[in-house]
Amino acid sequence: MARRRQIYEGKAKILYEGPEPGTLIQYFKDDATAFNAQKKGTINGKGVLNNRISEHIFTLLGNIGVPTHFIRRLNMREQLIRQVEIVPIEVIVRNVAAGSLSKRLGIEEGTQLPRTILEYCYKDDALGDPMISDEHIAAFGWASQEEMHDIADLAIRVNDFLSGLFAGIGIRLVDFKLEFGRIWDNDYGRIILADEISPDGCRLWDMQTNEKLDKDRFRRDLGGEVEAYQEVARRLGLLPEGGETAVLDMAEHREKRGK
Ligand code: TMP
């Protein structure tokens, strides 16, 4: 079988050329990294779960009018997406203090923030994705003021929707990371949501127990990573009750046989 052309390999995903111009195939790996890839590991089955969870969330966001790059899921590990020009900014949305915000500002993890906070990081692994402000974005031309307005507006809409979605299944959406891209219609660049939304880039805490159901299990050596991701998928209604692992194993097996 002719192998597709690889366009880009990131820490958790690979992008391949898509079947039509303007499309790409996004492949979800099981690789996990933390602390700017200083810590590396594998979470077996993570790619399958993230592909499914991200498909679900992007579909729901599309249904409420949030423009996204998602077209459709192709198989257990791949989805068809629109090719975008990635805006080199990671947008962090925070509802509850945790992680680097707690460390930086000395606010105890779990403290409800007085309002939702948006932070921006410059997407550059070699620099460790440093935090930046609107001033840097404008000065260096990473995005226009109008684009930043659209990005902030979309980030808040995504947060409002996802906070409610997760609250409905007993999960607190503590914080998460978004990436956006530009698509060109004639000479006009439009901002759409890109990348993925999965437990890799969100903090998701069980509302009753505060148990972490996200990549902090890996970052902090808590164990039970795949079980946590499965629990998120299960509560979202994406896995049948019981026998989740069996379902994943069978699917992987089918995929390996090329069906
Ligand atoms: P932080 O507390 O480490 O800044 O992370 C905030 C949120 O953003 C958390 O949900 C994890 C997510 N995130 C990523 O997805 N990728 C990253 O590179 C970083 C630093 C954070």
Side-chain angles (χ1 to χ4, degrees), residues 110-146:
T111 308
Q112 183 74 46
L113 296 169
R115 47 164 279 181
T116 296
I117 296 174
L118 294 186
E119 293 174 352
Y120 304 114
C121 297
Y122 181 50
K123 194 172 149 61
D124 185 318
D125 283 339
L127 298 175
D129 299 338
M131 207 209 263
I132 49 173
S133 76
D134 286 303
E135 290 282 309
H136 302 92
I137 296 168
F140 298 115
W142 292 322
S144 70
Q145 293 227 0
E146 194 190 352

Side-chain angles (χ1 to χ4, degrees), residues 154-240:
L154 286 170
I156 294 297
R157 276 170 73 194
V158 170
N159 183 50
D160 287 345
F161 179 78
L162 290 188
S163 292
L165 176 76
F166 282 116
I169 54 173
I171 292 174
R172 178 170 297 121
L173 179 59
V174 170
D175 57 32
F176 59 100
K177 187 255 307 185
L178 297 175
E179 292 186 29
F180 294 88
R182 273 180 207 105
I183 48 168
W184 294 94
D185 288 326
N186 298 316
D187 274 343
Y188 182 74
R190 194 162 68 91
I191 291 291
I192 69 174
L193 185 63
D195 193 47
E196 71 180 293
I197 299 180
S198 73
D200 265 12
C202 302
R203 284 198 174 91
L204 304 169
W205 295 358
D206 181 274
M207 278 185 161
Q208 302 295 324
T209 64
N210 281 332
E211 191 190 356
K212 297 182 200 314
L213 302 172
D214 57 63
K215 204 168 90 175
D216 268 350
R217 301 209 72 86
F218 170 77
R219 294 189 190 97
R220 301 180 187 197
D221 294 319
L222 300 173
E225 291 94 339
V226 88
E227 291 79 5
Y229 284 50
Q230 269 178 5
E231 178 61 12
V232 173
R234 190 190 64 78
R235 291 196 201 181
L236 287 168
L238 305 177
L239 293 177

